[in-house]
Amino acid sequence: MPTGADHDYARLAKLAKQRRHELSLALNDKNAKAAGTSKGTWQRVEKGEPIRSTNYVKIDGLLKWAPGSCLAALEGREPIPSRPAKDAANADISERPVQDIDATARDVIRLAMIATTSGLTSEEIRDLSDRAVRDLKDAGLI
């Protein structure tokens, strides 16, 4: 985890307030307690102040974000919203942006090709990984 100096607490505060308003959540003891944290901890996040790293996942849950979203926001990335699963009690599903999945698949394929083949140009590796991602999408796997 980056040091406090590397974190953008003001950015997280803004995103957390915005998300709380989207969800129509009151910043109160009842909601905070349901998430396993205190109202004071939640207020610190929204004031742009640091909290214990173990509490960020509780704030993620409170804001219906995938675990790790607060830390991602602190590092300049976007939080990933989650939604309740239709067939599982107390489970949430994270809606990961498609471009993240595509980019990750391309990176994995490129690294595998670099590690296992020789003589391919960077352009050939790029073309093959793009083709593989298209094929995976066509097959409904990503």
Side-chain angles (χ1 to χ4, degrees):
M1 186 162 137
T3 63
D6 296 334
H7 285 169
D8 190 346
Y9 294 103
R11 181 174 188 278
L12 175 59
K14 179 182 172 187
L15 291 170
K17 283 181 202 172
Q18 180 181 350
R19 182 67 172 167
R20 180 170 58 84
H21 290 291
E22 287 171 9
L23 297 172
S24 299
L25 284 175
L27 200 164
N28 59 30
D29 289 322
K30 179 183 170 189
N31 286 334
K33 188 175 180 179
T37 191
S38 70
K39 183 174 110 178
T41 298
W42 190 0
Q43 286 173 325
R44 287 180 59 85
V45 170
E46 290 199 7
K47 288 179 183 177
E49 298 173 359
I51 59 173
R52 286 189 196 116
S53 58
T54 55
N55 284 327
Y56 284 112
V57 74
K58 295 174 184 175
I59 301 298
D60 288 335
L62 210 146
L63 296 174
K64 305 288 186 225
W65 282 342
S69 287
C70 282
L71 294 176
L74 286 171
E75 295 169 355
R77 293 178 284 127
E78 293 302 312
I80 299 172
S82 62
R83 61 177 168 76
K86 293 178 183 165
D87 58 354
N90 298 322
D92 288 338
I93 297 173
S94 299
E95 297 294 336
R96 190 163 186 167
V98 173
Q99 56 271 37
D100 286 356
I101 296 169
D102 291 359
T104 301
R106 277 189 191 87
D107 290 346
V108 168
I109 293 164
R110 287 176 184 162
L111 289 174
M113 289 179 4
I114 290 167
T116 59
T117 59
S118 62
L120 290 177
T121 67
S122 59
E123 185 176 331
E124 289 171 322
I125 291 172
R126 241 187 325 274
D127 289 344
L128 286 169
S129 63
D130 288 345
R131 168 73 191 273
V133 168
R134 277 194 310 275
D135 291 348
L136 288 169
K137 287 176 98 171
D138 289 346
L141 296 173
I142 62 170

